[in-house]
Amino acid sequence: KRTAIVAFAARFPRLYSAPAPFHNPGMSGYYKKSVQNGWFSESEVMWPGQKMSLQMASEIPKECILYEAKSDFQEVLVFKSKTYGTVLVLDGVIQLTERDEFAYQEMIVHLPMFAHPNPRRVLIVGGGDGGVLREVARHDCVTLIDMCEIDPVVCDVAKKFFSDSTATSFGDARLNLVHDDAAKFVKQEENLKKYDVIIVDSSDPVKNGGKQL
């Protein structure tokens, strides 16, 4: 559900601020409208006439909502589904499920990585759930992984709720994790012409018609 391009085009509106505390509000706010009769349905529809829905692990929201908060950048929701494991939702759009996230992560990473004869220095734009990082870290030839994720809440949520799936490589010694505007980060003099591979794992521009890009 996310834009997968090996190039850099994303511009982000705001800079780092402290992450929201972890809590389990039991559908106290934003996502009430997305949950009905034990099903979660996306609230942002990119393609008219269709949207993704998943059955939740329980018809009682407070029993399967693991996290709900609004960061400085987006609405964040984590819930347990009946058949797809734990699910991450950003701004009303499903980003990943534990059951099938590997298909996205492996394709966005290994195609560009194997296309390069010796990818040693890699930049990941976005990717706060850690899945792209996990796959990049499988390549022993890599000596540096810069990861620029503007929203620290996404990383914190991934480490807490996806520690056995996507968020397994945040402790890799090659990782330099930065919470910043990636458009500004890549323009810093020390980063110009620095990378062999750049992988953009950013959310689809569902708001403002993509004007934030």
Side-chain angles (χ1 to χ4, degrees), residues 19-202:
F22 288 115
H23 63 289
N24 183 355
M27 296 304 296
S28 60
Y30 179 82
Y31 285 102
K32 277 187 176 180
K33 64 182 181 181
S34 298
V35 176
Q36 291 186 2
N37 301 319
W39 285 77
F40 170 87
S41 297
E42 292 180 327
S43 60
E44 290 284 354
V45 180
M46 295 189 65
W47 298 276
Q50 69 177 59
K51 62 180 178 180
M52 184 70 176
S53 298
L54 288 176
Q55 189 174 12
M56 305 179 79
S58 171
E59 292 189 4
I60 303 174
K62 67 180 181 180
E63 293 183 356
C64 52
I65 298 295
L66 303 178
Y67 179 82
E68 180 194 13
K70 185 172 183 178
S71 74
D72 283 347
F73 305 97
Q74 57 204 333
E75 299 283 346
V76 182
L77 172 71
V78 180
F79 70 89
K80 277 286 186 182
S81 69
K82 187 171 183 177
T83 57
Y84 280 79
T86 305
V87 181
L88 173 66
V89 180
L90 299 179
D91 280 337
V93 179
I94 295 170
Q95 301 296 306
L96 69 87
T97 75
E98 287 184 313
R99 177 175 172 178
D100 63 3
E101 55 81 17
F102 68 91
Y104 173 88
Q105 320 289 3
E106 292 176 3
M107 290 295 288
I108 195 177
V109 171
H110 298 305
L111 289 178
M113 291 296 287
F114 284 120
H116 194 287
N118 188 27
R120 296 174 59 83
R121 305 171 75 87
V122 178
L123 170 64
I124 302 170
V125 174
D129 57 70
V132 167
L133 170 62
R134 180 194 66 201
E135 297 303 318
V136 170
R138 297 184 191 277
H139 292 258
D140 293 335
C141 58
V142 173
T143 59
L144 172 69
I145 306 171
D146 279 351
M147 179 172 164
C148 191
E149 163 61 62
I150 197 170
D151 194 344
V153 172
V154 178
C155 294
D156 292 339
V157 165
K159 292 174 185 177
K160 183 173 179 65
F161 299 108
F162 297 89
S163 59
D164 294 328
S165 53
T166 60
T168 59
S169 297
F170 280 100
D172 194 298
R174 297 168 293 177
L175 174 63
N176 173 39
L177 177 59
V178 178
H179 297 300
D180 203 347
D181 183 330
K184 295 179 180 178
F185 178 78
V186 296
K187 292 178 181 178
Q188 294 175 8
E189 185 175 355
E190 63 269 25
N191 294 330
L192 294 176
K193 300 181 180 180
K194 178 178 180 180
Y195 303 106
D196 300 309
V197 174
I198 298 176
I199 301 174
V200 179
D201 180 21
S202 59

